[in-house]
């Protein structure tokens, strides 16, 4: 037969359209070729994806987990700038012991403590200073008054003069919850002592005089006039006084010592007013970013959300470094 076969596939075999010849061999060859073609196509696709697709994968981009979420850092894991006030102020009473025997006897037996009404008047005076310097007034907060009184008494009882008790490690931050303050309410502290050398007088000074002393140096003045304070109080016990300013921006977050405060703000003593304003502007930017980072979700559900918060973290870290390395040249 001289038929030039023109096969077509039907019912598991190849049949010639012209003469009806049936063959299985051609079918097997054709099937093997078909399988080989499929394998070749799949292999080529894998190679193309590997060499063409991979350059578009950013190694710095977080890959979502099985639920489509991308892990984000916690705000508590970010570096924190402690913003303590500077060294507590101590004033020596120059009146000699011999001239005031009756007063000294009373001082020894009964340390004085500030009344709430006197603290309220001190807050009124602080508000005069704040509004005179372009800052909004604060309210008197009895919870904060109790913290300030407890801090002054703690200094007196344990015989130290600092923002952190060297024996117990306690500070305003660790005791605030005992007086009804919440975790997002921080208090920044100023301290003052009036006494004979390193010994407090036990009688309390005039609170306006104490506030004026705090206004005489940068660190304490910065705390009195801190823009984001919403309330505060002043209280004294046995010649040791404390101001606590309440805010929601993390100012006063954590325990610190006077030497740390001096390291933070002592470097600004020789700065020009313009340089001080530059430094304060950096602090304000940092404070403005904290609420967003504190509300940052634990995971991002989209790449766009991840990129947004990743950018905030980068900016935050940059500000922390600039504040920590700030100098006046």
């Amino acid at each position: 037969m001289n038929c030039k076969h023109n096969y077509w596939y039907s019912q598991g075999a190849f049949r010639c359209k012209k003469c009806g010849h049936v063959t299985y061999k051609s079918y097997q060859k054709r099937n093997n070729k078909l399988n080989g073609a499929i394998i070749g196509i799949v292999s080529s696709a894998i190679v193309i994806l590997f060499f063409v697709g991979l350059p578009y994968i950013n190694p710095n981009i977080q890959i979502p987990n099985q639920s489509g979420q991308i892990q984000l850092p916690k705000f508590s894991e970010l570096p924190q700038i402690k913003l303590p006030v500077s060294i507590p102020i101590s004033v020596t009473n120059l009146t000699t012991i011999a001239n005031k025997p009756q007063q000294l006897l009373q001082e020894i037996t009964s340390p004085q403590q500030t009344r709430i009404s006197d603290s309220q008047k001190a807050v009124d005076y602080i508000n005069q200073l704040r509004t005179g310097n372009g800052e909004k007034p604060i309210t008197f907060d009895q919870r904060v008054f109790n913290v300030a009184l407890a801090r002054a008494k703690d200094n007196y009882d344990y015989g130290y003069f600092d923002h952190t008790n060297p024996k117990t490690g306690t500070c305003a931050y660790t005791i605030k919850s005992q007086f009804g303050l919440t975790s997002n309410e921080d208090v920044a502290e100023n301290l003052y002592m009036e006494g004979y050398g390193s010994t407090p007088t036990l009688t309390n000074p005039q609170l306006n005089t104490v506030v004026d002393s705090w206004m005489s140096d940068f660190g304490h003045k910065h705390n009195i006039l801190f823009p984001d304070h919403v309330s505060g109080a002043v209280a004294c016990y046995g010649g040791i006084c404390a101001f606590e300013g309440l805010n929601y921006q993390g100012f006063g977050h954590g325990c610190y010592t006077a030497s740390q405060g001096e390291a933070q703000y002592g470097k600004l003593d020789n700065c020009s007013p313009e340089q001080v304003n530059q430094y304060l502007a950096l602090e304000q930017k940092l404070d403005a970013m904290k609420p967003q980072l504190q509300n940052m979700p634990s995971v991002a559900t989209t790449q766009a959300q991840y990129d947004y918060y990743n950018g905030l973290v980068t900016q935050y870290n940059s500000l922390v470094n600039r504040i920590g390395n700030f100098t006046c040249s």
Side-chain angles (χ1 to χ4, degrees), residues 191-315:
L191 288 178
Y192 174 100
M193 182 180 74
E194 183 167 286
Y196 306 100
S198 60
T199 303
T201 61
L202 308 186
T203 57
N204 293 326
Q206 294 293 321
L207 295 186
N208 287 11
T209 302
V210 176
V211 174
D212 287 339
S213 295
W214 284 327
M215 290 292 290
S216 66
D217 76 274
F218 178 82
H220 296 97
K221 180 179 180 180
H222 175 60
N223 190 24
I224 294 291
L225 302 180
F226 186 63
D228 294 317
H229 281 332
V230 296
S231 63
V234 181
C236 302
Y237 186 91
I240 300 177
C241 304
F243 165 75
E244 307 289 343
L246 186 147
N247 65 90
Y248 296 93
Q249 302 300 325
F251 186 28
H253 187 88
C255 292
Y256 52 86
T257 63
S259 59
Q260 290 174 320
E262 179 64 16
Q264 181 69 29
Y265 287 119
K267 61 186 178 184
L268 301 178
D269 288 343
N270 297 320
C271 294
S272 67
E274 292 77 12
Q275 291 169 325
V276 170
N277 288 335
Q278 291 173 7
Y279 179 86
L280 295 179
L282 292 176
E283 283 191 351
Q284 290 173 356
K285 287 182 180 179
L286 192 71
D287 290 339
M289 294 185 67
K290 286 181 179 179
Q292 299 179 71
L293 291 171
Q294 288 169 339
N295 295 324
M296 180 172 60
S298 59
V299 293
T301 55
T302 65
Q303 189 64 57
Q305 187 182 37
Y306 172 81
D307 291 341
Y308 172 75
Y309 284 110
N310 188 48
L312 283 182
V313 171
T314 301
Q315 293 177 42

Side-chain angles (χ1 to χ4, degrees), residues 7 10 34 41 71 89 103 116-117 136 142 151 164 170 172 188 193 198 208 232 252 269 297 307 328:
Y7 288 108
S10 174
L34 183 62
I41 292 172
Q71 195 69 33
I89 295 176
Q103 178 180 332
I116 290 178
S117 59
K136 62 182 181 296
Q142 188 168 341
R151 288 289 302 126
T164 299
T170 57
M193 182 180 74
S198 60
N208 287 11
D269 288 343
D307 291 341
C328 295

Side-chain angles (χ1 to χ4, degrees), residues 25-84:
K25 184 177 181 180
S26 297
Y27 164 72
Q28 294 294 336
K29 286 184 178 180
R30 183 69 60 87
N31 190 48
N32 289 341
K33 290 180 181 179
L34 183 62
N35 290 341
I38 293 174
I39 293 173
I41 292 172
V42 172
S43 300
S44 299
I46 293 174
V47 171
I48 292 171
L49 286 175
F50 184 81
F51 289 102
V52 177
L54 280 185
Y56 294 94
I57 299 177
N58 188 337
N60 297 320
I61 297 301
Q62 297 291 323
I63 304 301
N65 58 26
Q66 293 180 353
S67 63
Q69 298 176 329
I70 308 173
Q71 195 69 33
L72 287 168
K74 297 179 180 179
F75 177 70
S76 59
E77 296 172 348
L78 299 178
Q80 300 292 317
I81 282 287
K82 288 186 176 181
L83 302 176

